[in-house]
Amino acid sequence: MMKTNIKIITIKYLCVIGLLFNTLCECKAQEKPDYTSKVPKFTYPETLDAQIETLKTNPLVLRAKEYRKEFKDDPHHPIYHFTSPEGKLNDPNGLSFWKGKWHMFYQAYPREDPRQHWGHAVSEDLIQWEDLPYAIYPNPEWKCYSGATLVEEDRVIAMYHGKSLGNLVAISDDPLLLNWDKLTGTAVIPMPKKKDDVPYKIFDACVWKKGDMYYSLSGSRMPTGPAGALMRTHFLFQSKDLKKWDYLHEFIEDDDFTLVGDDGACPYFWPIGDKHILIFFS
């Protein structure tokens, strides 16, 4: 009888331990990973003179200058084409004209944290560029993928793809676009989950405004080609406040110009005269 009780008690304890273990695993799975960048991040003054003075001693700017000295006498280093001061360079993003200066962002890979950040450089003539600190850092997204900017009278809007999360919007309004705040603190167009019954996918984004509405395209690809092959497509979204976005429809149908497998990366859409142009990486 004692042996039977021991077996029953042991089984009950094992069941309790099993339940506790499963609960801990579920809680762990629901925890949001910390994607905080290892790159130093600073808050900058809000006036131009103060920003210029602060940048003179900013560690990120100083180390960029040191890195560029390494290539000063390299005969193979481009002279006119912009290159990243450290690490590799990928897609250029969000060329903007703001308060008398051109701002260029790009996919940068800092040495201490080689995930995609938005690198940042400024110019008065589009030829001579000055390195600025990194603009947009990952977290809560895993990586800051490509996107575009929209310049308004009182601010610059960046919309981009946050890997693992969805499409995000960040806002800046200071003289050199040094301080960026992510609207809502998370994706404004979340990455669809398997259980979600939606007809679109999320990838590189662009943003523009018409009337009192904002619009965004998200590049991707769908199995609409020969024998279900993946083909480039873009999905159109609409918003009044940049926070809540409604899906409208596919933007392009029956594409005869791109190749099988194209993903329509880095879309840009804007008016030229009485027509509009859509460009993307192919």
Side-chain angles (χ1 to χ4, degrees):
M1 189 67 179
M2 287 295 291
K3 290 181 180 179
T4 302
N5 288 341
I6 291 171
K7 287 181 179 178
I8 293 172
I9 292 170
T10 302
I11 291 171
K12 285 182 178 180
Y13 275 119
L14 289 174
C15 289
V16 171
I17 292 171
L19 288 171
L20 288 172
F21 179 76
N22 289 336
T23 301
L24 288 171
C25 288
E26 290 176 0
C27 291
K28 192 69 176 176
Q30 292 175 0
E31 288 181 4
K32 294 181 179 180
D34 183 5
Y35 290 135
T36 302
S37 173
K38 296 178 182 178
V39 180
K41 187 175 182 179
F42 305 91
T43 300
Y44 300 92
E46 294 294 329
T47 63
L48 180 59
D49 290 341
Q51 286 187 341
I52 292 174
E53 193 64 29
T54 298
L55 291 176
K56 291 179 181 178
T57 57
N58 179 267
L60 296 174
V61 173
L62 292 177
R63 83 183 196 184
K65 290 180 179 180
E66 289 300 315
Y67 287 144
R68 288 204 180 278
K69 289 180 181 179
E70 298 178 12
F71 303 101
K72 182 180 179 181
D73 299 321
D74 185 348
H76 303 292
H77 191 259
I79 297 175
Y80 294 108
H81 296 286
F82 180 84
T83 59
S84 172
E86 57 176 355
K88 61 182 179 179
L89 178 151
N90 201 18
D91 302 342
N93 300 145
L95 184 67
S96 310
F97 188 72
W98 171 254
K99 296 189 181 297
K101 295 180 183 295
W102 290 98
H103 291 261
M104 178 180 62
F105 306 93
Y106 58 92
Q107 297 283 277
Y109 302 78
R111 295 190 179 185
E112 67 267 60
D113 192 341
R115 293 177 293 153
Q116 287 89 333
H117 294 56
W118 269 37
H120 188 188
V122 67
S123 172
E124 293 184 355
D125 57 11
L126 293 174
I127 298 175
Q128 301 175 82
W129 292 91
E130 179 182 348
D131 294 306
L132 293 179
Y134 293 100
I136 302 178
Y137 290 59
N139 199 37
E141 68 274 24
W142 178 26
K143 302 174 181 178
C144 300
Y145 275 10
S146 291
T149 53
L150 172 64
V151 177
E152 296 189 313
E153 289 186 5
D154 59 346
R155 64 181 181 174
V156 176
I157 300 164
M159 191 166 189
Y160 66 98
H161 183 66
K163 180 67 173 176
S164 77
L165 201 61
N167 289 352
L168 290 86
V169 170
I171 307 291
S172 181
D173 60 5
D174 61 77
L176 290 176
L177 301 180
L178 300 179
N179 301 305
W180 289 86
D181 295 319
K182 296 179 184 180
L183 206 61
T184 75
T186 187
V188 295
I189 306 179
M191 180 75 74
K193 299 178 181 178
K194 291 183 178 179
K195 63 179 181 179
D196 295 336
D197 184 20
V198 295
Y200 59 83
K201 292 184 178 180
I202 303 298
F203 191 43
D204 294 349
C206 71
V207 60
W208 72 94
K209 191 175 185 180
K210 184 176 182 181
D212 60 351
M213 299 294 291
Y214 294 97
Y215 294 88
S216 176
L217 289 182
S218 183
S220 190
R221 51 189 178 186
M222 298 291 281
T224 57
L230 293 173
M231 296 290 291
R232 188 271 309 182
T233 187
H234 290 97
F235 301 104
L236 181 64
F237 297 84
Q238 175 182 268
S239 174
K240 288 184 178 180
D241 58 7
L242 295 172
K243 298 177 182 179
K244 182 181 182 299
W245 290 83
D246 297 316
Y247 171 66
L248 297 181
H249 50 73
E250 284 190 37
F251 195 65
I252 296 291
E253 296 180 2
D254 302 325
D255 179 14
D256 295 325
F257 300 98
T258 50
L259 300 176
V260 171
D262 203 315
D263 61 4
C266 301
Y268 274 80
F269 181 75
W270 65 82
I272 295 183
D274 59 352
K275 297 183 179 181
H276 287 71
I277 186 171
L278 169 64
I279 64 172
F280 54 91
F281 287 178
S282 179

